[in-house]
Amino acid sequence: MPSEVAVKESARAVRMSGDERREQILLAARHVFAEGGFAATTDEVARAAAISQPYVVRLFGSKRDLFVEVYRQAAGEVIEVLTAAAQEADPGEAMGRAYLELIEDRDLLRLLMHGFIASADEEVGRVARHCLGEAYRLFVASTGAEPDEARQFVAFGMLLNVLVAVDADAHRGEDAGMDALIDCVVLATRRAQA
Amino acid sequence: MPSEVAVKESARAVRMSGDERREQILLAARHVFAEGGFAATTDEVARAAAISQPYVVRLFGSKRDLFVEVYRQAAGEVIEVLTAAAQEADPGEAMGRAYLELIEDRDLLRLLMHGFIASADEEVGRVARHCLGEAYRLFVASTGAEPDEARQFVAFGMLLNVLVAVDADAHRGEDAGMDALIDCVVLATRRAQA
DNA sequence: GTCTATAGACAGATAGAC
DNA sequence: GTCTATCTGTCTATAGAC
């Protein structure tokens, strides 16, 4: 027989401060939206955060507002990390390394991708374009590289995003061309890190 | 006062053969899905094709089946065009040119992007990965280029896709970094075409 | 070949209790 | 701070008529 506390906890979420709860929901929403894009539901977010669906809406106003806040935060982190890397001794190498570390957070990257295409929403589109633009601008400004080199840096990032989005690694062996592409990309990233 | 014919046409779609109608719906659906991804509705498709929503479902079985067919067709066209280009005298240049022509069809590109991320559906994911893999494989096979060069070809394609998806060109002047990136990309494509 | 009517499911948001 | 109950709108899919 479950203890009285356990019963209470399963029916009703543990009480938190508003700020704690907001942070927790933002984290849960990042994962949920990363998987399903804007089409994911506030109910999924609520379940991931172990609270009720109306409470999610209550705290953020609307699903759209929640999505925009999650997206802003994610894009902000990317820009922040790249900005920090751009101030290191070898900015080009540091930015490459930084992006590879970012990409390990599959949720972050998939979320970014959703924003690139969910530009249906004007605000999301603005943030997405700014994030892309900053990656390019930072590379040029910090390394003094030619435009073409910076362009290749960003392009490689987009390739990595797409490979993460289509879950390429988990489907090795299904398509010869894709396998070869992954091999080449893996080699290129190893070279960059060496 | 509208003629009797006009009244009839506004209430009831012009009769077509099944094949004609299927083609027309596929075209309409390509546009609708390119805009809204899988979240777009069968009702939007129906309005775009000027027929009733249940008829769309009737002809394709389900919205998911329609989406998959639209996506297969789009990916097939891309592979077909790239394959043809790969058989020309200067395959590297021809494939670049071919992709630039493809990209002028905004619907096609946005649809592809949606598939890259709508890989939630297993079949769509498979098609998306194959399309990417083929672009890489064809480039290597036809030009004999080093893997890295082919990788850069595909990466540049992904960058173009994303720029189309975020509607970068229509938002010039809003973000300095993005403006510089667009300029650089435009120059690079001009160089490739010269 | 195409429609109207509608069933059935679900999601986002609101109201109000505790 | 958090929930339950519920309204309202929307969407896919089916049934059956023409």
Side-chain angles (χ1 to χ4, degrees):
Chain A
M1 192 205 283
S3 75
E4 198 189 336
V5 171
V7 168
K8 273 187 184 164
E9 281 184 356
S10 74
R12 182 170 288 270
V14 191
R15 215 179 165 84
M16 279 189 197
S17 81
D19 281 357
E20 276 176 318
R21 192 55 93 185
R22 279 182 68 92
E23 284 313 307
Q24 187 220 359
I25 294 178
L26 284 170
L27 198 65
R30 172 182 295 207
H31 177 69
V32 171
F33 285 139
E35 285 300 312
F38 186 71
T41 66
T42 53
D43 194 60
E44 292 174 80
V45 174
R47 279 201 302 271
I51 54 174
S52 71
Q53 177 267 330
Y55 192 29
V56 172
V57 174
R58 162 90 77 157
L59 279 183
F60 290 87
S62 73
K63 168 173 142 174
R64 190 253 174 190
D65 288 345
L66 173 58
F67 187 87
V68 170
E69 186 150 342
V70 168
Y71 199 70
R72 267 218 198 86
Q73 191 177 294
E77 280 170 37
V78 171
I79 293 176
E80 194 179 333
V81 167
L82 290 180
T83 302
Q87 281 149 9
E88 292 190 23
D90 183 348
E93 187 274 336
M95 286 181 74
R97 179 187 304 269
Y99 200 76
L100 288 174
E101 275 168 32
L102 280 176
I103 230 169
E104 279 171 29
D105 184 348
R106 201 167 167 274
D107 284 346
L108 186 66
L109 266 289
R110 285 179 61 96
L111 184 62
L112 276 184
M113 282 291 287
H114 272 115
F116 287 153
I117 210 157
S119 312
D121 188 287
E122 198 43 51
E123 177 59 13
V124 172
R126 241 202 58 239
V127 174
R129 287 188 292 272
H130 180 62
C131 186
L132 267 172
E134 279 297 283
Y136 177 79
R137 197 188 62 74
L138 278 168
F139 194 96
V140 172
S142 67
T143 67
E146 291 299 308
D148 279 346
E149 198 184 332
R151 192 201 76 221
Q152 282 180 20
F153 172 77
V154 177
F156 188 55
M158 293 308 104
L159 176 57
L160 288 174
N161 284 359
V162 170
L163 291 178
V164 169
V166 299
D167 214 2
D169 200 49
H171 291 82
R172 280 203 183 231
E174 292 177 14
D175 185 279
M178 180 50 88
D179 288 350
L181 175 56
I182 300 176
D183 288 342
C184 174
V185 166
V186 168
L187 281 178
T189 59
R190 291 236 179 89
R191 235 180 297 137
Q193 284 183 311
Chain B
M1 193 205 283
S3 74
E4 199 189 334
V5 171
V7 167
K8 273 187 182 164
E9 281 184 359
S10 72
R12 180 170 288 270
V14 191
R15 215 180 164 85
M16 279 187 197
S17 81
D19 282 355
E20 276 176 317
R21 189 57 91 187
R22 279 182 68 92
E23 284 312 307
Q24 187 220 358
I25 294 178
L26 284 170
L27 198 64
R30 172 182 295 207
H31 178 68
V32 171
F33 285 139
E35 285 299 313
F38 186 71
T41 67
T42 53
D43 194 61
E44 293 174 80
V45 175
R47 278 202 301 272
I51 55 174
S52 71
Q53 177 268 330
Y55 192 29
V56 172
V57 174
R58 161 88 75 151
L59 279 182
F60 289 88
S62 73
K63 168 172 142 174
R64 190 253 174 190
D65 289 346
L66 173 59
F67 187 87
V68 170
E69 186 150 344
V70 167
Y71 198 72
R72 268 219 197 85
Q73 191 178 291
E77 280 170 35
V78 171
I79 293 176
E80 194 179 335
V81 166
L82 290 180
T83 302
Q87 281 149 10
E88 291 191 24
D90 183 347
E93 187 274 337
M95 285 181 75
R97 179 188 305 270
Y99 200 77
L100 288 175
E101 275 167 32
L102 279 176
I103 229 170
E104 280 171 28
D105 183 348
R106 200 167 167 275
D107 284 345
L108 186 65
L109 267 289
R110 284 180 61 96
L111 183 62
L112 277 183
M113 283 289 287
H114 271 114
F116 288 153
I117 210 157
S119 312
D121 186 286
E122 198 43 50
E123 175 60 12
V124 171
R126 242 202 58 237
V127 173
R129 288 188 292 271
H130 180 62
C131 187
L132 266 172
E134 278 297 282
Y136 177 79
R137 196 188 62 72
L138 278 167
F139 194 95
V140 172
S142 68
T143 67
E146 290 300 307
D148 278 347
E149 197 184 332
R151 191 201 75 220
Q152 283 181 20
F153 172 76
V154 176
F156 188 53
M158 293 308 103
L159 176 56
L160 288 173
N161 284 358
V162 170
L163 290 179
V164 169
V166 299
D167 214 3
D169 199 50
H171 291 83
R172 280 204 183 230
E174 293 177 14
D175 185 280
M178 180 50 88
D179 288 350
L181 176 55
I182 300 176
D183 287 342
C184 175
V185 166
V186 168
L187 281 177
T189 59
R190 291 236 178 90
R191 235 181 295 135
Q193 283 184 313

